[in-house]
């Protein structure tokens, strides 16, 4: 509630067009639904034009099902991330239009078409093993209404593969780079492309990869500028911010 | 060198308007200056509209001086980061218009005015101790031609200070959040502002702060979306990307 | 055995009202039961007014069963933490009044009513995925005789959810904040509530969460005062201390 | 601003006893002083009965001096932590009643007497090298108006030293345990004393002490209950929370 | 594409023996096969004389199968590392000559004989538990056309076992040392053998082994010279470089 | 082979009582059995009076079986550590007198009685969950011919349990302290007992226990003297060294 | 105070040969001196036959001086570790017989001759840079009354240097191995010598040495048995335990 | 001493051409000089053709001087690494031909010319700040008799600088890649050059660089093959191994 709506509300109070009790309620009654185990913010789409998002990790199948059930009664699009196939099976029972991306572990429910952007987000990935993160980013960017181009398996071990796709990458408004192991791809693209780049380190690798830490550190210490980083394997977060930038 | 310029060059070769030797040279002779200890990319501003940037950390005073000397012969603006006062004293001798930001440890040389953007970057900082990073980001954003608003000392320990400045933050096109200790400010702003946010964890703190790791992890694990992160204390990197976004 | 009881005992010795052998026994014979694999302190409730507590993690089902069997022969209330469903099945056979909290993984045996406090402990949790830790803390606080209020899913990503519950949180005598991911909720509440706060970082998250380390560091480095921290996922420990404070 | 004061304010608006502009101002104008580099919350003492606290770490001498200068114009008591001797010298010039605790690195300004509590906080320390943290906690607890007992050099390597002081420790309402190296003292006291214990790991030690991490981990993993922990060397934070508990 | 082939190509353009379009294609069309989820570099053997290598970790069985299927249509030898038995079963269906090394987790397809070197690579291992890494290195070195000698279970706990095999080790052109736990074998051999040594730390061990970190650090900090290190358990990488050296 | 036996051998050579070839063989032919995947040192017992020891971790069931088979043909006692139940089932087939300690995961084969020491090793453990490590240490110490006393569940959370057993601990020639979580028991005993103490940190705990690191660091940083430490969960190693000391 | 002395004391009480007050005093009055900042245990030598030990790290020069002053009034030998030259200069003023070992940073005061053992402790060091730790261990072992042999610069990079000294090492009753960098020397000696070995990792090295962590991990993970470890650079601790073992 | 020289020696014994005492001496008397604090291996050059190497880190100026003094009496070339300017000043007094490389911190003494190789080692560095490591590697490679090419400041942030130098890099027999920050240069070169590559991570950077760990992890996890790694900032070690490979 910003300053101007506060003024309006107070004006209503002054003009006695609204009871003090009601005004107090308006001031404190926020638009969420208390489900006992979760507070669902169902007005979010209205405010910011985004679909509802459910992080399914750490939730029980039952909890996920109930949240989808409540949301599906609204007309919002819905995105569930880190969802298991078992969750999807339950959600589908109450929400038949739900779709599951097996690699990306997302459940998407499209109640209405999103207008897609003209400019596009490029999602560039180092290797085939990074595909789960690519898919999570892809599904997120799509349901948020973005045009997306995927460029995969262009890691620095065979850098000529990357160069052949440079035009497509350079044409994007914002670039997501998904890379595990040493994560050098983000630095290399950062040195070649003058667009904002969001790096997603992945947990692909073994040994001193330490579950993605090597790629994360590589990206954080990049000598290329214009690069910022999200959590390991966080395809959703990268696409969320990329969508914000793409729509500027 | 992109596809179309390649076609043009080859057309020149075909029409024998250019020698093969010259074409080879063009294809391999890149516009940098080899100074023995450094390869300076003096055409960068022409290509991407940015000033020259020198990371002075780990360089000797003599090396920094020589690089400024070479650059100052061009008509580019120049930004030196992580510069010591001693470096500045030497640079000033050969480049009298150089200015030094003591807190931010930057040397700036403005040879020509940058056109400033209408939209602005908000730089929000949790505490007074974060000011050195704020200043590095500020100088970077300014010399890259951005309008900037600084909002400092609004950490979550007294969250009402933040709320009073929310309108100014929400009015920005992109937000840089600078915070040490637990870095929670980035998450809180991420939950309140629907703009791309770039978090800069700082090394402010002690003990389990581990030189900024606590703030970094806090930001990387934020449950707020729309937030990406740069290296600890990397005010320059945040401002560089924010400038890219602000100019979209 | 404190100084005054030592004097009394020595007085008895002097007056020859007690044998030296008996006095030696009294001085060394401490009130625990040696079960071969465990020393059970069955007089603890008498001394400090608390129920018996069994940490079931790392114990075999057989060991857990035997400890409950011994304890159940006393009239103490019993709390088992980190108990598996299989353990509960075995315990129920010998102790039919035992109850199991599936999310919180606790077994509770209530042999007698605890007098409940007037003041209450607030248990505040950032997200639905933190519920297992909330439940462990809740069961602990209840069987220790405390009035408890649970406020869940009020993480900083949607900070208005928190503000609507502030009065309830402020009314508590002591506050437990349970949060994973970046754990910023503890800092924010610390900046809003002038009560002792015990932070419980949880292992909810992925990647650089490092099994709860990000939330732990966030809480340890909080710029809010009045906040102390227990081990990751240690709902029991937080509730134990909160109970001590609530009963002051 | 809580619900009842909101009702009062709205009542005033309704009765036209206050202008809308003034009401808006009241609703957004928070009681802090913007000093450019810091927002000072000068009404804090009124609200929560505490002195002003300045964390001097990472601030310049000039900044610290200016903040003391502003605060000293009020009638609040003031506590500065992590202050250098140089800072104290400057502060003393404008605030002659300021005192400096060399070991504890605190500056205290007592404008008025605090009423002291009847119950006391026990500050127990393992070794002589932990004294700086003890002193920071002591100065904090004193200026917050608490009675304090210090018990030092009672580490577990000579556990009989501890036992002789147990009565004094057990008599406290809340216990702060300050320990470096392996930090086992907190666990041992936790097993002997049924009072809330706040552990302060210190950076005393070398090698695998890792700047206090060994003591921190020891305390977080304590098998004794009733123990929570603050940041390494954070004597202030421990005393702040202890004061809250002592005054319940 | 090196300088001389660039000159040749340009000469062809000049002499109009090749269309500009074709030349552009040649310059940008790199010899890889885009399979949607992977870019396969099928000309690699021609260029560098090595077999195709597939890192199967993190790939689905289906993806691995498809890549083998495509490759098997060429006449290259193929090496798949980190392959599961399930992957092998699928690959064998389409490529009956494929062989599986159960310990080493490699799939090898030998379409043609490699000429073997006269000089040999010695693979020395500390213990029986290191055999999986030894086998991965062995299969790699063999399919790259090297003569190999394996010397296993000669760890420093019984150093006389090592001394008896020193002549064989010293006879090699390059030595791979595979060791887990404390990894001291690499240092000891480094002090006894004047040949390039490539250390492979393994994840064999428990506790403070930290998944191979202890062996890695031991090797990186070796006071013996002539030793470099690859990632934990990376038998393939060690053999790849050893092969390069052996063929010099 | 020490100096005197070298002199003897050379004397034999000089007197031509032994062929040069035979002498060379003696000098290089060490008494181990090469099994392809393992070099078994079957003369070890003769030399140092200890049984054969097999670390079964990371070995296949087949490998373990073959090593036992070879050893069982000698008259040595055998100890296998980190053995699975499946390994035991296989070993029992070829070695019916083999015994398995389920908690300690050891296989022992006693071909002949060891003479037991008069002095004893005390194995003291903090909690019931530490029993697996206690049992590994116990089986090791027994088969090495030591008298052993076990004192379990005497952790510092109830320190009176420890004091009642102090006489038994003090009577030992060397003490093994097994403790997880914060591992403070080792420090406390170190402050109470003037005997060499070997600490075994265990991986018992959760969260910041980090698989035993908290207990390890606690023990390494102990302010008590006379304490050294072995790897996490390494009951075998502690007992091996304790046996060496007990037999001095 | 053990069981039998407790019986004696109680007997005296019963026979009224001692007042109850005196008995209480005896039971609680422990033989230490409270100096305000330190509790000095001046009867320690009587009880355990050791000199007084002062850990000077983290103490002020003034504090160290006062402790030496108090101790020097007794007839005990004194050992100060981690002492600076400045501390020594102050101590020498009040205690002229004090000696300083510059490398080892120890102050020793010998008031009376210690009887030296027949058996000896071997202190073996990998390199010249490890000498400070060697000297700390040496001074400790000497003042505790042990015969000591030093064998330095026998690291594994030139393993023949070690072999030439093996007889001397094998003749010791207990061996201290001091090594930095990769610390492999401890493992190698562990494989060659059947004596208890105490490893002291040192902070000698750089980069991934991490202040001694590499050597520590190497020693903790040693595949040689009979080896236990103390804190990084803890020459004192190793010598203390070695002395205990040497005197068995 | 290898098998054949052993046979020869024994033959001499048999033929009584050598005394048993002398033979024993030969067998145990190794060619090093015991200086009390160091064992200098002065015959090393004869055996392996390398100069003497002194690691000066952690040694006192006096110790370094004495070692140079002893060595300079031989006719060997000498290399001192990690030497301070103060050490050099002392060494120069006794060894006037000594030279100091300020950036590389090496002292070199050339008593005789080394024959230089025809093939060369390429030392490639990412940035100007990496020069100290480059210089250490360069001085090492030179005094070991190698031809060397240095290619500096070709980091991936401006990858065209690298491509222009590729021919020179590809012409080397072995490549050393020196890089700090994210260390991606090693991966990129690994993908472009089919020569053995030795990566040297440097401590250049800040924040999450963690003293070179980010570059180290990047190199260890490289998806490019043919790359092995030495310790952070270990220019000497890389050049030592590169020299071994270059001379094959």
């Amino acid at each position: 509630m910003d300053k101007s709506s506060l003024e309006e509300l107070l004006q209503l109070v002054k003009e006695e067009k609204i009871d003090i009790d009601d005004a107090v309620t308006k001031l404190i009654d926020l638009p969420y639904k208390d489900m006992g185990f979760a507070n669902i913010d169902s007005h979010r789409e209205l405010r910011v034009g985004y679909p509802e998002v459910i992080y399914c990790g750490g939730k029980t199948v039952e909890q996920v099902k109930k949240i989808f059930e409540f949301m599906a009664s609204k007309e919002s699009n819905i995105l569930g991330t880190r969802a298991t196939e078992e969750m999807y099976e339950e959600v589908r029972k109450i929400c038949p239009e739900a779709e599951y991306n097996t690699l990306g572990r997302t459940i998407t429910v499209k109640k209405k078409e999103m207008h897609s952007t003209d400019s596009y987000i490029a999602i560039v990935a180092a290797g085939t093993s990074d595909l789960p993160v690519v898919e999570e980013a892809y599904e997120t960017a799509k349901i948020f209404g973005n045009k997306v181009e995927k460029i995969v398996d262009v890691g620095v071990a065979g850098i000529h593969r990357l160069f052949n796709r440079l035009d497509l990458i350079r044409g994007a408004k914002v670039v997501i780079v998904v890379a595990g192991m040493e994560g050098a791809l983000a630095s290399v693209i950062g040195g070649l492309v003058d667009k904002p780049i969001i790096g997603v380190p992945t947990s692909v690798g073994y040994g001193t990869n330490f579950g993605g830490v090597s790629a994360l550190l590589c990206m954080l210490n990049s000598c290329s500028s214009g690069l910022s980083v999200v959590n390991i394997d966080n395809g959703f977060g990268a696409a969320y911010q990329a969508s914000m930038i793409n729509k500027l």
Side-chain angles (χ1 to χ4, degrees), chain A:
Chain A
M1 179 162 286
D2 58 22
K3 199 176 158 181
S4 61
S5 44
L6 187 56
E7 286 170 343
E8 280 173 43
L9 182 65
L10 291 173
Q11 191 63 41
L12 292 176
V13 170
K14 185 177 173 185
E15 298 169 5
E16 299 198 37
K17 290 184 176 153
I18 183 170
D19 279 357
I20 282 185
D21 274 9
D22 289 356
V24 167
T25 300
K26 275 206 170 356
L27 282 163
I28 64 173
D29 190 12
L30 291 151
Y32 65 82
K33 164 75 178 176
D34 187 342
M35 300 187 67
F37 57 88
N39 285 310
I40 301 178
D41 180 355
S42 59
H43 291 213
R44 196 181 186 193
E45 195 187 14
L46 298 179
R47 286 176 316 171
V48 301
Y50 293 153
E52 294 305 319
V53 179
I54 304 158
Y55 173 73
C56 303
K59 295 198 174 66
T60 64
V61 174
E62 193 57 22
Q63 289 168 341
V64 167
K65 186 182 175 183
K66 278 189 184 155
I67 296 174
F68 267 93
E69 196 164 22
F70 169 77
M71 282 182 171
S73 62
K74 316 271 167 174
E75 282 312 297
S76 314
N77 288 343
I78 311 173
L79 169 66
T81 63
R82 310 273 159 152
T84 62
E85 206 136 6
E86 188 192 357
M87 288 171 180
Y88 170 61
E89 293 307 329
E90 284 306 304
V91 166
R92 198 166 54 168
K93 287 178 192 163
I94 53 165
C95 191
E97 68 273 45
E99 287 177 30
Y100 189 62
N101 182 320
T102 309
L103 270 179
R105 286 175 302 154
T106 54
I107 301 173
T108 44
V109 180
K110 282 180 201 147
K111 294 270 183 170
K112 55 186 175 190
E113 259 332 282
M114 293 291 289
H115 176 77
S116 183
T117 55
D118 291 329
S119 61
Y120 62 89
I121 299 169
I123 304 178
V124 188
T128 302
S129 310
D130 299 315
L131 280 178
V133 179
V134 168
E135 289 303 307
E136 186 183 278
Y138 180 79
E139 294 287 350
T140 301
K142 291 301 284 184
I143 205 164
F144 276 70
N146 295 280
K147 192 173 157 193
V148 185
E149 294 285 347
K150 285 190 275 189
I151 300 113
V152 299
D153 203 17
V154 292
V156 299
I159 208 165
H160 47 283
R161 298 177 300 186
L162 173 64
F163 288 158
N164 203 29
R165 311 296 292 275
L166 262 185
D167 283 355
L168 186 60
I169 301 173
R170 283 177 170 153
K173 193 162 176 187
V174 54
V175 181
I176 295 171
V177 179
V178 179
M181 292 179 169
E182 89 278 52
L185 182 62
S187 273
V188 171
I189 292 181
L192 291 166
V193 178
D194 284 306
K195 293 291 164 54
I197 298 170
I198 303 168
V200 192
T202 73
S203 53
V204 169
Y206 59 90
T208 54
N209 171 275
F210 298 132
V213 168
S214 61
L216 172 70
L217 292 184
C218 181
M219 291 181 185
L220 282 173
N221 288 281
S222 177
C223 48
S224 298
S225 303
L227 171 64
S228 63
V229 185
V230 297
N231 196 2
I232 295 165
D233 291 336
N234 189 4
F236 165 74
Y240 189 109
Q241 193 184 47
S243 173
M244 278 180 162
I245 296 172
N246 190 34
K247 292 181 170 182
L248 284 179

